Amino acid sequence: MDISSQEIEAIVKQVLDRVRPAVPAVSATPAVSAYQKTSSPAVSAGIRGEDGVFERVEDAVEAAYQAQRVWATRYKVEDRKRIVEAIRVCARAHVEEWCRKIVEETRMGRYEDKVEKHLATINKTPGPECLTTEALSGDHGLMLEEYAPFGVICSITPTTNPTETIINNTISMISGGNTVVFNVHPRAKRVSAECLQALNRAIVDAGGPANLITMTREPSMENIDKMAANPKIRLMAGTGGMGMVNALLRTGKKCIGAGAGNPPVIVDETADVELAAKKIYEGASFDNNILCFAEKEAFVVEDNYDGFLYNIRKAGAYLLTPQQTESLARICIQQKNGEYTANKDYVGQDVAVILKQIGVAVPADCRLAVCEVDKDHPFVLAEQMMPILPIVKCGSFEEAEEAALAAEHGNRHTSSIFSKDVYHMTHFARLIETTIYVKNSCTKAGLGIGGEGFCTMTIAGPTGEGITCAKSFCRRRRCMLADGGLRII
Ligand code: NAD
């Protein structure tokens, strides 16, 4: 078949038009891009979402897939930085609204603590600046290793930190060049959708592509299964309980799992008990103890026991009698398949609401109840996520260590110690092996909330990424320029 040069030119033009996305090369100025004015590839294919919220999971994945191709190839790291900054500005402007709505929708936690948690997340989640390049120059050339995107990530979020996790995961994941399809917790789906839509609008206003983050209006387990089976999803990231993490691990897909904790704190015989009591009161009552990393049980060495009990009451805690403790345990803790679990009706409730169930009234400013129990008590073994702190008297530091290790259930999530003995601090750290280990402060200090270091809402203990950031959601790729390379020596 003979084809004229004009025909060849027309065919080439047609092909180029098809493969060239409707996006201009991105400039450093936050101008409205042509991408916004024209419809996105996903939308032009008949897939419609409302600022990232879709009815069908297939459409949410497709839109995020199309956005990722553009995000990774047409936007520079500088653009990522600018868009992450726009996300921070947008989230800051909505903090109070979202925190109020979370309390209304989930009926858990404390508004003022949620504000503090959001601000830590917004201000202290690292952006693309943490993606460092490794370079090696030698006689045989130049080697570069960089953090490259996975592609589209499915992110599953918990009810305890719904919008915090969306903000944190969005910053971390898109900083790495990925896009995200969220499957949010059904108990927080409305506020999660509002947050996601606001962030998407901010991204587009800053010149970014539409649908960098998407979700389905109705989250479901079925959607998670569909995403696990969809080849366009390259990574599953889940933040929540161990049931969910184990389900992700069984999918056979690369996954990052951030699971349950039950953080023990040891107060040894050398500790400053006043400081310990004050910090443990603060940490264990923060957001009514729904945080996976909050102190859940205290093991106090007997030489310091009375002093600790005196000081935690002085800090504001209500001390339950043995009878009250047992009445409360009966309603707050359930036993399923030989394991103690929290009664969800009381998770994250104010201490006044919980204690009212057993006819106890506490002052309005009381944030925490404490009880004296032995190391095998259900309040110690269950991850109860309520402002009730069981305190166990231990004959020695070694006894406290063993009890703490058992209570943590091998989650290797978070633990802490109040001590002035360096040997004790080091020994417990080696024994307990938790991702977060805090000495002489609240455990939240380990996430940069009142401590040094960056913040995350996805602490990936089971799969080992630890305190996640943009790096955690990237692939390491190597580029090699052979012999001669760029050497100047
Ligand atoms: P959850 O496990 O009930 O729900 C978390 C998410 O997983 C939700 O989106 C839910 O719909 C989904 N899910 C639940 N079971 C699933 C299954 N079998 N298969 C697939 N998906 C499933 O947890 P929650 O009540 O929302 O949050 C509290 C739990 O999460 C606590 O155990 C807490 O310690 C943990 N948590 C861990 C971290 C961390 O960073 N490690 C952070 C927050 C919360």
Side-chain angles (χ1 to χ4, degrees):
M1 178 173 65
D2 289 337
I3 302 179
S4 71
S5 59
Q6 283 98 332
E7 281 169 322
I8 291 174
E9 221 171 84
I11 291 168
V12 169
K13 188 177 177 305
Q14 259 180 14
V15 171
L16 281 178
D17 284 349
R18 250 186 245 158
V19 295
R20 200 180 282 141
V23 187
V26 178
S27 75
T29 46
V32 177
S33 71
Y35 191 82
Q36 290 162 254
K37 290 175 193 154
T38 59
S39 52
S40 71
V43 172
S44 62
I47 301 161
R48 304 230 164 256
E50 284 175 35
D51 294 325
V53 176
F54 290 77
E55 301 306 322
R56 295 184 342 128
V57 69
E58 293 80 0
D59 299 339
V61 173
E62 184 59 29
Y65 176 74
Q66 297 294 348
Q68 201 272 330
R69 293 171 66 187
V70 173
W71 183 233
T73 55
R74 294 276 165 165
Y75 286 78
K76 297 177 185 165
V77 173
E78 234 174 69
D79 299 311
R80 293 187 201 173
K81 286 184 183 165
R82 192 185 72 244
I83 280 154
V84 164
E85 187 49 34
I87 288 171
R88 294 191 210 275
V89 170
C90 165
R92 262 181 224 123
H94 286 87
V95 164
E96 291 173 8
E97 176 197 336
W98 291 339
C99 291
R100 192 171 36 75
K101 287 182 173 171
I102 294 171
V103 175
E104 277 167 20
E105 191 174 353
T106 68
R107 303 197 172 282
M108 290 194 297
R110 287 178 169 267
Y111 166 82
E112 65 280 9
D113 297 342
K114 291 187 187 300
V115 170
E116 188 180 342
K117 208 172 15 148
H118 272 79
L119 290 175
T121 305
I122 295 165
N123 297 334
K124 298 186 98 172
T125 299
E129 69 280 0
C130 75
L131 303 174
T132 47
T133 297
E134 199 181 320
L136 182 70
S137 173
D139 290 342
H140 298 296
L142 176 72
M143 184 277 298
L144 287 182
E145 274 198 12
E146 297 197 302
Y147 289 95
F150 264 94
V152 186
I153 301 175
C154 160
S155 169
I156 298 163
T157 58
T159 187
T160 46
N161 304 322
T163 51
E164 299 90 319
T165 309
I166 290 178
I167 297 164
N168 168 259
N169 281 193
T170 296
I171 294 176
S172 294
M173 293 172 182
I174 71 160
S175 289
N178 306 288
T179 60
V180 196
V181 184
F182 284 98
N183 195 81
V184 304
H185 197 287
R187 271 182 73 185
K189 63 182 180 187
R190 288 194 302 275
V191 68
S192 297
E194 282 184 34
C195 169
L196 183 132
Q197 288 178 317
L199 297 186
N200 261 329
R201 285 193 291 268
I203 290 167
V204 169
D205 286 348
N211 297 321
L212 270 196
I213 52 175
T214 67
M215 64 179 273
T216 49
R217 194 175 301 285
E218 295 299 330
S220 71
M221 300 290 179
E222 197 194 341
N223 283 349
I224 297 175
D225 291 343
K226 282 184 180 169
M227 283 197 264
N230 189 329
K232 287 182 176 166
I233 297 282
R234 294 300 197 128
L235 168 66
M236 307 285 289
T239 308
M242 288 313 294
M244 180 273 295
V245 170
N246 289 331
L248 285 198
L249 288 169
R250 284 193 296 271
T251 62
K253 196 158 249 181
K254 160 77 183 171
C255 66
I256 293 180
N262 195 34
V265 47
I266 289 181
V267 180
D268 80 0
E269 62 275 27
T270 69
D272 174 340
V273 273
E274 197 175 350
L275 174 78
K278 191 169 150 267
K279 290 292 180 185
I280 293 171
Y281 180 83
E282 182 187 334
S285 65
F286 188 69
D287 211 11
N288 285 340
N289 208 323
I290 54 175
L291 293 169
C292 55
F293 52 83
E295 296 83 349
K296 298 277 188 297
E297 57 278 335
F299 300 94
V300 184
V301 176
E302 60 187 353
D303 290 358
N304 250 340
Y305 189 80
D306 292 342
F308 177 74
L309 213 55
Y310 168 80
N311 276 292
I312 201 151
R313 292 177 77 185
K314 197 172 132 202
Y318 175 83
L319 177 64
L320 294 158
T321 66
Q323 244 181 356
Q324 289 168 345
T325 304
E326 293 322 309
S327 307
L328 211 54
R330 272 194 293 278
I331 62 164
C332 291
I333 310 290
Q334 300 160 334
Q335 210 172 357
K336 269 188 206 157
N337 309 325
E339 268 185 34
Y340 294 117
T341 57
N343 178 347
K344 288 203 178 349
D345 291 347
Y346 299 106
V347 169
Q349 300 307 305
D350 286 356
V351 67
V353 172
I354 299 174
L355 265 52
K356 201 173 159 203
Q357 307 303 312
I358 56 162
V360 173
V362 289
D365 61 350
C366 175
R367 292 170 59 103
L368 184 74
V370 295
C371 53
E372 298 178 89
V373 295
D374 66 39
K375 64 181 173 35
D376 300 320
H377 194 274
F379 274 142
V380 172
L381 298 179
E383 190 202 14
Q384 28 115 349
M385 296 187 284
M386 299 170 204
I388 301 167
L389 182 81
I391 304 174
V392 180
K393 187 195 272 191
C394 301
S396 64
F397 170 67
E398 290 71 23
E399 199 182 306
E401 277 192 317
E402 286 308 317
L405 188 64
E408 217 273 324
H409 304 299
N411 292 327
R412 302 198 292 184
H413 192 296
T414 298
S415 61
S416 63
I417 183 168
F418 285 83
S419 175
K420 290 180 191 139
D421 183 326
V422 172
Y423 167 79
H424 281 181
M425 294 180 190
T426 309
H427 194 269
F428 185 43
R430 288 184 179 150
L431 183 76
I432 196 87
E433 294 187 296
T434 48
T435 304
I436 300 173
Y437 183 67
V438 176
K439 301 162 185 168
N440 297 324
S441 193
C442 307
T443 49
K444 63 189 167 92
L447 277 184
I449 310 175
E452 285 302 326
F454 67 83
C455 185
T456 186
M457 287 291 127
T458 296
I459 303 148
T463 48
E465 292 77 10
I467 317 289
T468 56
C469 64
K471 277 182 182 176
S472 320
F473 303 102
C474 286
R475 299 162 60 220
R476 294 282 289 167
R477 290 183 59 197
R478 178 180 285 192
C479 171
M480 172 63 205
L481 180 60
D483 288 346
L486 287 175
R487 295 221 83 173
I488 51 171
I489 55 169

